[in-house]
Amino acid sequence: MEAITAAPSRARVLQALRSRNFRLLWTGQTVSMLGDTAFLVALGWRTFTLTGSARSLGYVLTLQGVGLLLTVLVGGALADRYDRRKLMLVSDFARFGLIGALTVIDGTGHLSFGILLGLAFAEGLATGFFTPALGGLVPLVVEEPRLGSANALIGMARQGSLLIGPSVAGLLYGFAGSTVVFGFNATSYLVSFAFVWATRPRVPERGAAEGTLREIGAGFRYVAGVPWLWVTISLFAFVLMCQWAPIQVLTPKLVRAHFHLGVGAYGVIFSMLGAGMIVGAVAFAQLDLRRKRGLISYLIWMVNSLLVVAFALSPWYSLAILASFLRGTCIGFGVAVWETMLMELVPQHMLSRVISLDWFGSFGLTPIGLVVVGAISGLAAPGPIIALGACISILIVAGGLFSRQIREID
């Protein structure tokens, strides 16, 4: 503890790297996240060029999201009962097989829209087991005083992947096609597998085994009894449906139809978003925020939505890039605040279930949003649709500030 306290404030963001097990986990996830973001760009552009329709990308992302939602609650219950590390290993190996199959099919010229839908759904199923296990493993590989640093570093890796991954995807896609990008993502899962295998986390506190369904029910009851949890999760179900879904589906069309640019420009938008997220995550770790975290994070999410409006309606690509960077700063800070609050305030034996419920609740309505946006994508230009969703999101987030616990929780 003394070593932690004595660390100079300028290095606060790096404190978690003193733990060998966290360094291993972080390194593996950094590579895996880089593969994931490169894959997302390639998937979006490959779907768009395969079908010529923004609606098709909406369907692919919808099935991927539905797959995750079908397994994430079970994954949370299993991660609180069994070895979280082993659950992550199984998920990584499964995703390697699935994306590896996509690589082969695409490379041999046999990729169809139906195959893309099926593999996206299966990949979502596997990710649903991985996500709550990862969230529950972090407090087991780093000491509690360093959780803020750990979440900031994971955020930096996530956001760094958004900075580098899209540019890598644009470069590889432009020179070698989508197959190489898909293969890169498949390989990144093997790297993640190897580093997770090498970790030796602490044994977590566990509750009494009650059966998967009862344990999921216990998670629901816990969240329902904590206002800052259920209010935030419920509100963000609508925020992601109204704001994230249009951005995901319509950004390729916005880049091509509004800015008259190609896949490289599409990748740069995500790269600038990632650069901003790194800045936001570092700012959170350096500030070591402890007071009014709920109020501050809600205000930040409102600013983020305003920046989405600027991004969507910008007449200039350069202004859209700036808005993406500033949005990223808000997102990086806000996500780090939320994840640290979960790991500090939720009991260890409930943590993976609460994380799974966070994912399930927050993304529960997103598939609906993806389908709706795909259906209306031909009725108006992409910019106004994205901006409308962001304006609705501002009102939703502002409504959360009526909760006293949100305003006062530290």
Side-chain angles (χ1 to χ4, degrees):
M1 183 68 70
E2 291 178 0
I4 297 172
T5 306
S9 60
R10 66 178 179 274
R12 186 176 289 138
V13 69
L14 303 177
Q15 287 178 359
L17 291 175
R18 296 180 181 181
S19 166
R20 171 189 176 275
N21 286 313
F22 178 78
R23 287 198 305 273
L24 290 169
L25 180 67
W26 182 79
T27 302
Q29 292 315 296
T30 298
V31 175
S32 181
M33 290 173 187
L34 181 62
D36 284 341
T37 52
F39 174 74
L40 184 62
V41 173
L43 178 67
W45 205 259
R46 183 70 178 100
T47 303
F48 190 60
T49 56
L50 184 67
T51 66
S53 170
R55 183 180 305 176
S56 299
L57 177 57
Y59 293 148
V60 171
L61 295 175
T62 296
L63 278 180
Q64 187 181 41
V66 168
L68 185 148
L69 293 174
L70 287 175
T71 55
V72 72
L73 293 182
V74 175
L78 293 178
D80 279 338
R81 190 196 313 169
Y82 299 115
D83 188 331
R84 293 165 182 168
R85 172 177 164 272
K86 289 181 180 178
L87 203 60
M88 292 168 64
L89 291 172
V90 171
S91 177
D92 267 339
F93 189 76
R95 291 186 293 176
F96 163 71
L98 290 166
I99 304 304
L102 173 61
T103 303
V104 172
I105 294 169
D106 187 46
T108 56
H110 293 93
L111 184 63
S112 67
F113 183 53
I115 292 174
L116 202 57
L117 289 172
L119 288 174
F121 176 71
E123 194 271 342
L125 290 173
T127 300
F129 289 102
F130 186 90
T131 301
L134 172 61
L137 191 70
V138 172
L140 304 179
V141 296
V142 70
E143 298 78 5
E144 183 175 348
R146 294 173 177 168
L147 276 176
S149 166
N151 282 308
L153 286 165
I154 290 173
M156 290 168 63
R158 185 185 299 122
Q159 290 110 31
S161 70
L162 284 171
L163 172 63
I164 300 171
S167 297
V168 170
L171 184 65
L172 291 177
Y173 200 119
F175 282 100
S178 56
T179 302
V180 173
V181 185
F182 294 156
F184 173 65
N185 188 37
T187 303
S188 75
Y189 288 129
L190 280 185
V191 174
S192 173
F193 182 98
F195 278 95
V196 171
W197 179 272
T199 61
R200 294 296 179 267
R202 297 186 297 274
V203 177
E205 168 197 350
R206 299 193 189 277
E210 304 176 82
T212 301
L213 292 179
R214 289 187 177 182
E215 289 169 2
I216 292 174
F220 271 104
R221 289 191 296 274
Y222 176 82
V223 169
V226 183
W228 68 269
L229 280 174
W230 72 259
V231 168
T232 302
I233 291 172
S234 300
L235 290 181
F236 273 81
F238 290 95
V239 169
L240 292 175
M241 178 180 70
C242 295
Q243 182 169 292
W244 184 82
I247 291 172
Q248 289 299 110
V249 173
L250 296 175
T251 298
K253 187 176 180 181
L254 182 73
V255 170
R256 174 172 281 186
H258 180 64
F259 294 119
H260 308 291
L261 298 170
V263 65
Y266 176 57
V268 169
I269 286 175
F270 285 96
S271 293
M272 293 304 294
L273 185 73
M277 290 169 78
I278 292 174
V279 172
V282 171
F284 167 75
Q286 293 300 107
L287 290 173
D288 195 26
L289 190 66
R290 294 290 171 181
R291 299 285 295 169
K292 301 291 185 182
R293 289 187 288 189
L295 174 63
I296 292 171
S297 62
Y298 267 60
L299 293 175
I300 286 173
W301 290 120
M302 292 174 68
V303 174
N304 168 68
S305 296
L306 287 171
L307 289 166
V308 172
V309 176
F311 164 77
L313 300 182
S314 169
W316 308 291
Y317 178 70
S318 57
L319 181 58
I321 290 297
L322 176 61
S324 294
F325 174 80
L326 295 175
R327 275 191 64 223
T329 303
C330 293
I331 295 170
F333 195 98
V335 169
V337 171
W338 176 251
E339 291 181 344
T340 302
M341 289 174 67
L342 288 180
M343 293 179 188
E344 289 182 351
L345 303 179
V346 174
Q348 180 59 229
H349 70 279
M350 295 291 299
L351 181 56
S352 286
R353 274 173 286 180
V354 170
I355 290 172
S356 71
L357 285 165
D358 177 29
W359 276 80
F360 183 83
S362 297
F363 287 93
L365 298 179
T366 301
I368 297 174
L370 292 168
V371 171
V372 171
V373 172
I376 67 173
S377 61
L379 301 180
I385 296 176
I386 295 172
L388 176 61
C391 290
I392 295 172
S393 298
I394 293 171
L395 298 177
I396 293 171
V397 175
L401 293 178
F402 285 100
S403 168
R404 180 178 178 182
Q405 193 177 62
I406 294 294
R407 297 195 306 269
E408 296 182 354
I409 189 167
D410 295 328

